Amino acid sequence: MIALCHRSITIRWLITKAERELTFAGYTNYFLWLEQANLAGVLRRKAQGGCRVRFLIGDPDSPVTRAREFEEGVPLTLATRIAVTISELERLRDVSNVEGRFETGHVNLSVFRFDDEMLVTPILARRVGHDSPMFHLRRTQSDGMFDRFADHVEELWSRGRSIWEVAAHGQA
């Protein structure tokens, strides 16, 4: 398990090092905006330099979200944490290479990809993300654990819907 301050430093280092792909497939990704100073500016520069930046987040209005909120039983709801991420992403809406989608199939798993490295957190029952273990994976072979988690995220991404389209239609 990566401790909170170590997690923050590790994530910043991985973001800084990434050149091709940054994918944040966490249900809220809320903590990123709190722990990473000027994250929007960093992501803007990465995207402008050709790095693909993707956020896969939960649908704040879905039954899955409401069920998980009930299970967590904390005052800062998932919908509120998702709203923070949507608000922060809105500042990056005009940047090519920055995308965001809703998909509810990852409520119990977060996968953050930084080129050929990733952080994976299986969310434990009745726990919020920061109370769950985090594993650091590196891609060392084809069809290994790294590729399997990457394929999982790609499947969810393909089923997701753009947060920009939802916002434009007033559904989120």
Side-chain angles (χ1 to χ4, degrees), residues 13-117:
W13 177 74
L14 290 168
I15 290 171
T16 300
K17 201 170 83 155
E19 297 176 354
R20 301 178 316 278
E21 179 173 352
L22 290 168
T23 299
F24 302 96
Y27 207 75
T28 72
N29 293 312
Y30 168 77
F31 79 95
L32 292 168
W33 308 103
L34 300 179
E35 293 180 7
Q36 301 299 317
N38 190 28
L39 180 59
V42 171
L43 296 178
R44 178 180 295 277
R45 287 190 297 281
K46 284 289 184 180
Q48 289 170 337
C51 186
R52 184 179 188 194
V53 178
R54 299 185 300 170
F55 279 80
L56 185 66
I57 59 177
D59 181 338
D61 298 321
S62 79
V64 171
T65 300
R66 286 190 293 281
R68 181 65 192 189
E69 286 176 340
F70 179 77
E71 184 175 346
E72 284 184 359
V74 296
L76 188 57
T77 66
L78 286 173
T80 299
R81 289 179 268 165
I82 293 167
V84 169
T85 294
I86 293 168
S87 176
E88 292 293 336
L89 287 175
E90 187 63 36
R91 297 173 32 204
L92 298 169
R93 187 176 185 163
D94 65 322
V95 181
S96 295
N97 291 331
V98 175
E99 303 169 80
R101 290 191 183 180
F102 290 123
E103 214 307 308
T104 57
H106 65 298
V107 70
N108 292 318
L109 180 70
S110 295
V111 178
F112 305 121
R113 182 173 181 174
F114 315 86
D115 291 342
D116 291 331
E117 296 190 57

Side-chain angles (χ1 to χ4, degrees), residues 2-17 36 114 117-119 134 136 138:
I2 297 175
L4 181 59
C5 68
H6 187 230
R7 175 183 73 183
S8 180
I9 293 166
T10 299
I11 290 172
R12 178 56 73 152
W13 177 74
L14 290 168
I15 290 171
T16 300
K17 201 170 83 155
Q36 301 299 317
F114 315 86
E117 296 190 57
M118 69 175 50
L119 299 174
M134 179 178 278
H136 187 168
R138 289 180 182 87

Side-chain angles (χ1 to χ4, degrees), residues 3 10 15 24 27 49 77 93 122 126 128 146 150 153-154 156 171:
T10 299
I15 290 171
F24 302 96
Y27 207 75
T77 66
R93 187 176 185 163
R126 295 184 312 276
V128 293
F146 181 96
V153 170
E154 292 307 317
L156 295 176
Q171 297 171 346

